[in-house]
Amino acid sequence: MANKATKKINKTPDKRMVAVIYARVSSKEQEKEGFSIPAQLKLLREYAAENSYEVTEEFKDVETAKQSGRAEFKRMVDFLACTPSVRLILVEKTDRLYRNFKDYVTLEELGIEIHLVKENEIISKDSRSHAKFIHGVKLLMAKNYIDNLSEEVKKGLNEKAEQGSYPCGRLPIGYLRDSQTGRILFDPERFEIIKTLFEQYSSGKHSITSLHQLAKSLGLRYPKSGRVITRSEIERMLKKIFYTGKFRWKNRIYQGDHPAIVDDVLFQNVQRVFKNKLKPTYNTKDFAFSQFLGCGNCGCVITADIKKGKYIYYYCTNYHGNCSREFIREELLADRLGQIVKDVQIDESMRSWLDESLELALKKKSEKAKMNRDRFAKRLQKIKAYIDNAYMDKLEGKISEEFWLEKSEEWQKEITDLNQRISECDNEIPKKYELARKAIELAYRAYPLYLRQTPKEKRRLLDSLLSNCTIHNGTLCPTYKKPFDILAKRAESNNKLGDRDSNPDSTVQSRMSYHWTISQYLYLLSANHPIILNESAYHIL
């Protein structure tokens, strides 16, 4: 005699039974293979009508790469838990209902009867052990399929990352994805604003709050929603390595195939500003040189205080408790710091010589940059012609869709690279030249400016020249920023040769050393694009 618990699906139903329908798809491939939500609902509704079941609710889960989880399954479980009159679920087959064994136990504890329509089977708490066993095997097979699918997806994403393609779907603000090729490109309305925010914050003159105000004034909004970027999003953006052309995936950094909005140097400068802003602050009473110096004896910070109501003295905080704590008046300290500025000063003849050398270097490099730009522009026109011709061939059926996608992706990558190179030709040379020119002007005017400035203005000037400075027994030991360290070494060398200037050979050696040092100065200023001085410049005295 047949067991009632293992009834066949076409039994005579109880007219009063109320059911819910559950349908699910987990990928686009399943849509193509006929497992779409509409197809499942059609099958289950027809089954309910044939068996006179009253369908009170329909729950539909659609899982995609962008949105995982089963919100509707959870909602169905909550509905069944709160509705004792409904104990029947209609579902297409086992792997549509469960993703793990926990789902099976949850429904079993609720006493739910499950109709697997395509498998022509009913499972309930009264089912025979053999039927439950077969159902469990199917459940494990469904779980194995899901696990295997997950492994393949992870493997594909890891391989994508290894090849330099960003595996995540959502892109940071400032980038767009080409709908045809899938390539990541600059957002033309926003990437310049992003670069400006990085540059402004790297100066150290902005807080996140003031930078947020700047972003709003520049009109930085999300492209789809139009929402204004928030303060916390500004901070996360400045820490995101994606803007350097790289990306982080599974705790590793990969070199991406997307264009960089900022270079590595600018990004690291921004991170350095973040790190410095985390340092503890002290009550400095707004003294000009407080926290500027370090104690050469114990390494503590030099602070300041007012004595007798009008004299400002600087002294070691003696945090470690073992320092002699020498005191120095602000006027005397300012004079000694002035000598530090004076050591990097250049005279009028040297400034003229450097300006002429820069002009020659700029002219030579600009001519070369123009030649390169023309070459890149011609290649760019060729690539665009290739794309136009290939697209017409695709429309006429002369080439396949696969070939078109492959070649267009390759050409788009080259177009991005060529545009980047053209931009460098247009911008890098003037930028480097302006940097060198300003540094030369600063070296020429630094000391006269220092003498006329207030203590606070002197402090700002010193910050632009020095990266560190300590004081020990009244002697200052500065560490200059590049390229001013080269000029300071030149001054030190000249002082050592001062007594031997009456010797002609010594004078020539000193001048050669002087000009050689300045050539190093220009080299360092130009960073990744060294400025090569005209040979005749070395003979200018």
Side-chain angles (χ1 to χ4, degrees):
M1 186 175 65
N3 191 302
K4 293 182 181 179
T6 58
K7 326 150 197 166
K8 285 300 178 183
I9 211 89
N10 58 356
K11 61 152 191 161
T12 302
D14 185 340
K15 302 285 185 187
R16 295 170 297 173
M17 287 193 71
V18 181
V20 297
I21 284 176
Y22 180 74
R24 178 177 73 90
V25 290
S26 59
S27 67
K28 291 182 179 180
E29 285 72 17
Q30 289 183 339
E31 289 271 359
K32 295 176 183 177
E33 292 170 6
F35 297 109
S36 68
I37 293 291
Q40 294 178 49
L41 293 177
K42 182 174 182 294
L43 173 70
L44 298 175
R45 287 166 183 167
E46 288 176 352
Y47 173 78
E50 290 173 2
N51 292 276
S52 301
Y53 293 139
E54 179 187 344
V55 177
T56 183
E57 286 280 350
E58 292 182 353
F59 301 92
K60 304 175 282 291
D61 270 317
V62 179
E63 297 172 299
T64 66
K66 292 183 179 179
Q67 181 180 351
S68 60
R70 294 203 294 167
E72 286 293 284
F73 180 86
K74 184 179 182 305
R75 194 168 74 86
M76 179 180 71
V77 170
D78 293 341
F79 174 81
L80 294 172
C82 297
T83 316
S85 60
V86 182
R87 298 291 90 184
L88 176 59
I89 296 177
L90 308 182
V91 65
E92 184 187 48
K93 54 182 182 175
T94 304
D95 62 6
R96 296 299 91 203
L97 182 61
Y98 308 115
R99 287 202 309 180
N100 50 57
F101 198 74
K102 182 182 177 181
D103 293 344
Y104 170 72
V105 173
T106 298
L107 295 176
E108 186 180 44
E109 288 176 348
L110 288 173
I112 303 299
E113 183 175 291
I114 301 165
H115 288 222
L116 305 165
V117 176
K118 268 197 173 180
E119 295 172 0
N120 195 35
E121 190 168 5
I122 298 174
I123 298 296
S124 71
K125 62 181 180 179
D126 298 323
S127 296
R128 294 180 56 186
S129 59
H130 178 72
K132 290 182 178 181
F133 172 75
I134 297 300
H135 187 63
V137 170
K138 292 179 180 178
L139 171 59
L140 291 175
M141 290 174 65
K143 180 67 167 61
N144 177 257
Y145 171 78
I146 292 168
D147 290 343
N148 183 65
L149 185 64
S150 175
E151 287 178 7
E152 291 301 316
V153 169
K154 289 177 182 177
K155 188 191 300 182
L157 293 176
N158 290 336
E159 180 61 28
K160 191 175 182 181
E162 291 287 348
Q163 294 176 2
S165 295
Y166 187 50
C168 302
R170 186 175 182 182
L171 297 176
I173 187 170
Y175 288 95
L176 297 173
R177 194 181 294 276
D178 189 292
S179 57
Q180 291 187 347
T181 65
R183 299 284 300 173
I184 298 175
L185 308 172
F186 287 140
D187 182 340
E189 296 181 9
R190 295 168 181 82
F191 85 96
E192 287 288 1
I193 300 177
I194 303 295
K195 187 174 182 179
T196 298
L197 296 179
F198 271 92
E199 290 172 344
Q200 290 297 315
Y201 194 75
S202 70
S203 69
K205 298 177 182 178
H206 280 278
S207 65
I208 293 297
T209 300
S210 65
L211 199 72
H212 180 227
Q213 294 300 321
L214 176 61
K216 289 198 293 185
S217 68
L218 293 174
L220 185 61
R221 294 173 177 268
Y222 283 97
K224 291 184 178 179
S225 64
R227 179 174 63 82
V228 176
I229 191 168
T230 65
R231 183 186 177 282
S232 59
E233 288 170 336
I234 289 282
E235 182 172 351
R236 288 197 295 271
M237 180 190 77
L238 293 174
K239 295 178 179 179
K240 195 176 288 293
I241 201 171
F242 191 90
Y243 293 102
T244 67
K246 305 179 180 67
F247 61 86
R248 187 182 299 277
W249 174 254
K250 299 288 183 69
N251 296 321
R252 281 184 58 189
I253 302 295
Y254 294 88
Q255 180 60 54
D257 56 9
H258 60 279
I261 290 180
V262 301
D263 58 32
D264 290 332
V265 175
L266 178 56
F267 183 78
Q268 291 305 323
N269 286 342
V270 167
Q271 308 318 304
R272 195 174 297 113
V273 171
F274 272 118
K275 185 177 179 182
N276 291 338
K277 286 183 182 293
L278 292 176
K279 291 181 178 178
T281 57
Y282 305 91
N283 181 18
T284 64
K285 297 182 181 179
D286 207 23
F287 295 116
F289 304 115
S290 189
Q291 295 188 62
F292 175 69
L293 299 169
C295 178
N297 181 39
C298 68
C300 294
V301 174
I302 299 296
T303 188
D305 205 352
I306 298 177
K307 304 294 183 182
K308 298 182 181 180
K310 59 179 179 179
Y311 300 112
I312 300 175
Y313 280 87
Y314 290 84
Y315 57 93
C316 177
T317 56
N318 194 25
Y319 180 77
H320 299 303
N322 58 355
C323 188
S324 59
R325 302 187 72 180
E326 56 182 314
F327 287 76
I328 182 170
R329 280 271 298 270
E330 183 170 83
E331 295 83 359
L332 180 57
L333 177 60
D335 288 342
R336 293 181 181 177
L337 288 168
Q339 184 59 46
I340 290 176
V341 177
K342 192 174 183 179
D343 284 343
V344 298
Q345 186 179 4
I346 59 175
D347 57 25
E348 177 63 37
S349 62
M350 180 51 59
R351 184 179 79 156
S352 299
W353 175 77
L354 290 174
D355 285 340
E356 290 175 9
S357 300
L358 276 175
E359 290 293 343
L360 290 171
L362 175 65
K363 183 178 179 181
K364 191 171 183 179
K365 281 191 163 289
S366 296
E367 289 173 354
K368 185 176 180 181
K370 185 178 183 304
M371 290 174 59
N372 287 335
R373 191 192 189 288
D374 292 343
R375 180 162 56 88
F376 296 146
K378 286 180 181 178
R379 178 62 182 170
L380 188 62
Q381 291 302 318
K382 275 191 176 182
I383 297 297
K384 290 180 178 179
Y386 292 158
I387 292 176
D388 290 342
N389 293 334
Y391 184 71
M392 293 304 299
D393 288 344
K394 182 184 83 77
L395 293 178
E396 295 173 3
K398 295 179 180 179
I399 60 174
S400 66
E401 181 76 19
E402 292 75 18
F403 180 80
W404 157 250
L405 291 175
E406 179 184 348
K407 294 303 295 183
S408 61
E409 182 177 357
E410 179 183 321
W411 287 327
Q412 286 295 340
K413 185 175 182 179
E414 188 172 356
I415 285 175
T416 301
D417 181 60
L418 288 169
N419 283 328
Q420 182 71 24
R421 289 169 178 263
I422 290 172
S423 176
E424 290 173 0
C425 292
D426 292 338
N427 301 321
E428 286 301 313
I429 300 301
K431 185 191 298 184
K432 298 296 181 184
Y433 168 76
E434 186 63 20
L435 172 65
R437 191 192 63 77
K438 286 182 178 179
I440 292 170
E441 185 68 17
L442 177 60
Y444 173 68
R445 300 181 58 204
Y447 187 60
L449 278 174
Y450 183 85
L451 294 177
R452 297 195 301 268
Q453 289 176 332
T454 65
K456 289 184 180 179
E457 290 171 337
K458 289 176 178 179
R459 165 66 182 273
R460 284 196 291 270
L461 177 57
L462 288 164
D463 281 336
S464 67
L465 299 178
L466 304 178
S467 60
N468 188 32
C469 189
T470 60
I471 183 169
H472 184 60
N473 296 330
T475 302
L476 294 173
C477 303
T479 302
Y480 289 91
K481 294 179 179 178
K482 292 184 181 299
F484 302 106
D485 58 336
I486 298 295
L487 293 177
K489 288 179 182 177
R490 178 266 306 170
E492 181 182 351
S493 174
N494 282 354
N495 290 336
K496 290 179 180 178
L497 291 170
D499 295 336
R500 291 180 281 168
D501 281 350
S502 58
N503 184 333
D505 293 336
S506 175
T507 302
V508 171
Q509 181 182 6
S510 175
R511 287 172 174 173
M512 289 178 64
S513 173
Y514 184 82
H515 290 90
W516 177 82
T517 302
I518 295 300
S519 70
Q520 282 188 323
Y521 170 65
L522 289 177
Y523 182 91
L524 289 170
L525 280 174
S526 58
N528 297 326
H529 301 275
I531 298 173
I532 309 302
L533 296 179
N534 188 293
E535 290 184 7
S536 63
Y538 290 98
H539 301 296
I540 300 175
L541 299 180

